[in-house]
């Protein structure tokens, strides 16, 4: 969500972008971005996912070369203590916009990334509740403290990805539906729109097959089957004219 009248300015003072080893049976994807810190770290992240973090998962990324989706990187970036102190005084949404701005600046500086929005007919997915009912674990809201005191804050959303010969496993905790849609969007490579009406946060485990597991006789099911059987949700494809993030130029980052 944008913030009318708010202009983010954060940039990273120090940043490294290194090529990660090829995926193997111990493949593990992680993203660390504390809400009120300038620190951003990612392990085994495809550049396409970094672009989606910077620009949002609501627009399909088109026109990018193949390596953007299938080459993985280790990214470590942060600003200084003064920036952290400023972030600590901002709302969660303002901090999100600041971090997105910093990542966009990193993409422009290190990858000469140029893009524009263009409305095109595209496949998107509506996420609805399956007939079987929701199978995710609902996370109870924190109990209120003494009278007059605010309830403790919810634990931050987190998703870990683990690879194996059977496919990819997502382990999500404290995830609102927006975070779940974002994770699914990164896998189906199209916007996922929440139509479930579900509130609150959830824990879940999602195991689904990927390209490298096709020949494995015990490969996990497709993401569409897995979402329905393991989460009690369903991805329904629809075609609409939506804004696409069209990549005009991107260069592979040099090791630094």
């Amino acid at each position: 969500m944008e913030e009318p009248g708010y202009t983010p300015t954060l940039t990273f003072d120090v940043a490294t972008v290194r090529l990660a080893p090829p995926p193997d049976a111990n493949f593990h994807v992680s993203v660390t971005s504390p809400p009120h810190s300038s620190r951003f770290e990612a392990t085994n992240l495809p550049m396409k996912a970094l672009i989606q973090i910077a620009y949002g998962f609501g627009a399909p990324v088109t026109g990018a070369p193949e390596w953007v989706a299938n080459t993985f990187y280790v990214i470590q970036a942060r600003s200084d203590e003064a920036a952290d102190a400023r972030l600590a005084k901002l709302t969660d949404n303002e901090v999100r916009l600041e971090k997105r701005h910093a990542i966009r600046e990193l993409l422009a500086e290190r990858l000469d990334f140029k893009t524009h929005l263009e409305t095109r007919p595209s496949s998107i997915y509506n996420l609805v509740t399956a007939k079987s009912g929701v199978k995710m674990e609902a996370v109870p809201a924190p109990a209120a403290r003494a009278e007059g005191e605010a309830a403790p804050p919810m634990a931050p959303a987190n998703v870990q990805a683990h690879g194996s010969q059977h496919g990819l496993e997502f382990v999500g905790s404290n995830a609102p539906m927006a975070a779940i849609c974002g994770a699914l969007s990164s896998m189906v490579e199209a916007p996922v729109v929440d139509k479930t009406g579900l509130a609150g946060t959830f824990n879940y485990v999602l195991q689904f097959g990927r390209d490298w597991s096709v020949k494995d006789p015990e490969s996990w099911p497709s993401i569409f089957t897995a979402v329905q059987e393991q989460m009690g949700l369903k991805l329904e494809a629809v075609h609409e004219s939506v804004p696409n993030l069209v990549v005009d130029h991107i260069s592979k980052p040099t090791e630094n």
Side-chain angles (χ1 to χ4, degrees):
M1 180 173 67
E2 300 299 327
E3 196 81 49
Y6 186 83
T7 302
T9 59
L10 182 69
T11 57
F12 295 125
D13 288 342
V14 179
T16 60
V17 181
R18 295 183 288 106
L19 189 65
D24 58 19
N26 298 313
F27 184 69
H28 175 86
V29 178
S30 67
V31 176
T32 302
S33 183
H36 294 285
S37 164
S38 61
R39 184 163 61 93
F40 179 88
E41 297 178 355
T43 301
N44 294 327
L45 193 72
M47 197 53 63
K48 184 173 183 178
L50 186 65
I51 292 170
Q52 290 172 312
I53 291 170
Y55 288 87
F57 291 89
V61 178
T62 58
E66 286 188 9
W67 68 265
V68 169
N70 58 27
T71 305
F72 301 88
Y73 291 88
V74 176
I75 301 160
Q76 295 178 312
R78 68 167 302 135
S79 192
D80 57 16
E81 293 182 0
D84 291 348
R86 184 171 69 86
L87 292 176
K89 300 175 183 178
L90 302 179
T91 67
D92 289 346
N93 193 49
E94 288 170 343
V95 171
R96 185 183 64 84
L97 294 176
E98 293 285 358
K99 297 289 272 288
R100 280 178 53 168
H101 180 269
I103 297 170
R104 290 182 186 186
E105 291 294 308
L106 177 65
L107 287 167
E109 178 184 343
R110 299 293 175 86
L111 284 72
D112 194 23
F113 184 64
K114 296 180 175 64
T115 187
H116 72 276
L117 286 174
E118 183 178 313
T119 299
R120 297 180 177 181
S122 305
S123 292
I124 68 172
Y125 293 91
N126 289 332
L127 186 64
V128 301
T129 302
K131 291 182 180 179
S132 61
V134 176
K135 298 181 179 181
M136 300 180 296
E137 176 193 359
V139 179
R145 295 171 178 163
E147 185 176 351
E149 291 186 12
M154 292 287 290
N158 182 55
V159 62
Q160 296 288 330
H162 311 276
S164 80
Q165 63 184 18
H166 309 310
L168 192 61
E169 177 185 69
F170 277 2
V171 180
S173 59
N174 303 303
M177 291 308 301
I180 292 172
C181 286
L184 294 177
S185 177
S186 68
M187 289 298 102
V188 299
E189 299 187 1
V192 173
V193 182
D194 178 26
K195 298 287 187 179
T196 64
L198 297 173
T201 59
F202 300 88
N203 297 332
Y204 66 92
V205 177
L206 181 66
Q207 298 173 325
F208 53 96
R210 299 304 287 165
D211 292 345
W212 69 79
S213 64
V214 170
K215 296 182 180 180
D216 177 16
E218 297 182 3
S219 177
W220 289 324
S222 73
I223 189 169
F224 301 97
T225 299
V227 165
Q228 188 162 343
E229 293 180 348
Q230 300 168 24
M231 301 176 75
L233 305 175
K234 187 176 182 181
L235 288 161
E236 295 185 337
V238 295
H239 293 274
E240 295 183 5
S241 292
V242 298
N244 280 236
L245 189 71
V246 181
V247 176
D248 299 315
H249 184 269
I250 186 169
S251 299
K252 284 189 177 182
T254 55
E255 291 285 329
N256 52 43

